[in-house]
């Protein structure tokens, strides 16, 4: 089923694309942790929006709709990657190598800790703290309630702080006692990776 799009719609979509592509790519990068895939996911999301442009442009919050599409595509990509890793792990399980005393990086990796969070917690933390969205805007983008956003963000931040604190806690590198990781929830730098 093909749709004829007039010049005004085409210009409107082009303006939307120019305004939001970089933001959507950054969102994809932070949700998947894959800078190389971020532009592809953003492009796939924008292509999906183009096919539904009449519906999207009539929506009350087109950007929230776009963020939701990116979040869904990112979730699908992550699930696919997890399934692939499981297949590879099963294949190599008989040849598992063990290393004694693996190196522990001295640098706290926020993106690595983010990737360890369950998807919904990660999405809430990223949208709230990397994109400075309100609880209502985050709920709208993810299609969940404001209460869920509050609880998932709170739990996600607590889990991030715990994970990041463990990297340098008792027995960790360079610091014999636990410390509070400063401002984990304050802001996550969303300028690196895809969408430049």
């Amino acid at each position: 089923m093909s749709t004829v799009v007039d010049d005004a719609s085409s210009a409107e979509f082009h303006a939307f694309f120019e305004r939001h592509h970089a933001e959507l790519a950054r969102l994809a990068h932070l949700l998947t942790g894959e800078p190389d895939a971020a532009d592809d996911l953003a492009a796939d999301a924008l292509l999906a929006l183009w096919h539904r442009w009449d519906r999207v442009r009539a929506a009350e919050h087109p950007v929230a709709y776009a963020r939701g599409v990116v979040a869904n595509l990112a979730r699908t990509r992550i699930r696919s990657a997890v399934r692939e890793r499981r297949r590879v792990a099963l294949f190599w399980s008989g040849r598992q190598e063990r290393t004694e005393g693996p190196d522990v990086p001295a640098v706290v990796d926020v993106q690595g800790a983010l990737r360890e969070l369950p998807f919904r917690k990660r999405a809430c933390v990223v949208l709230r703290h990397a994109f400075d969205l309100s609880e209502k805007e985050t709920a709208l983008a993810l299609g969940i309630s404001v209460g869920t956003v509050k609880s998932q963000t709170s739990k996600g931040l607590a889990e991030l702080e715990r994970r990041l604190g463990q990297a340098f806690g008792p027995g960790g590198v360079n610091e014999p006692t636990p410390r509070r990781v400063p401002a984990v929830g304050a802001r996550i730098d969303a300028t690196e990776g895809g969408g430049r």
Side-chain angles (χ1 to χ4, degrees), residues 5-183:
V5 181
D6 62 25
D7 289 340
S9 291
S10 180
E12 189 179 18
F13 176 79
H14 182 73
F16 182 89
F17 179 98
E18 291 296 322
R19 212 169 30 250
H20 299 291
H21 177 266
E23 172 194 343
L24 296 174
R26 282 195 332 266
L27 175 60
H29 175 227
L30 288 169
L31 291 176
T32 63
E34 299 176 24
D36 296 337
D39 281 327
D40 291 342
L41 278 174
D44 289 347
L46 286 160
L47 180 62
L49 294 176
W50 171 245
H51 289 299
R52 299 182 195 94
W53 186 241
D54 286 340
R55 189 178 337 153
V56 174
R57 69 196 287 220
E60 190 174 343
H61 302 286
V63 178
Y65 188 93
R67 290 176 184 137
V69 172
V70 169
N72 286 334
L73 289 173
R75 180 183 300 120
T76 299
R77 183 176 184 88
I78 290 165
R79 285 179 178 162
S80 175
V82 166
R83 282 193 299 272
E84 182 62 25
R85 277 189 223 120
R86 285 182 183 150
R87 282 193 292 269
V88 169
L90 282 172
F91 178 77
W92 289 104
S93 62
R95 305 172 134 199
Q96 196 171 17
E97 295 179 16
R98 301 195 185 277
T99 55
E100 296 297 323
D103 292 338
V104 179
V107 178
V108 175
D109 184 358
V110 174
Q111 287 186 339
L114 267 174
R115 282 191 295 272
E116 293 176 11
L117 291 179
F119 183 80
R120 186 175 282 182
K121 288 179 187 173
R122 181 186 330 156
C124 287
V125 169
V126 165
L127 288 171
R128 292 281 291 125
H129 296 285
F131 286 84
D132 293 323
L133 295 188
S134 69
E135 290 165 343
K136 184 177 179 182
E137 290 169 325
T138 301
L140 194 60
L142 297 176
I144 57 179
S145 71
V146 171
T148 301
V149 169
K150 288 179 182 180
S151 78
Q152 292 294 292
T153 302
S154 174
K155 289 175 183 175
L157 289 174
E159 212 168 306
L160 269 181
E161 186 167 319
R162 182 182 55 75
R163 289 176 190 275
L164 293 172
Q166 283 178 350
F168 290 96
V173 175
N174 295 334
E175 201 168 314
T177 57
R179 68 172 171 88
R180 182 170 173 79
V181 177

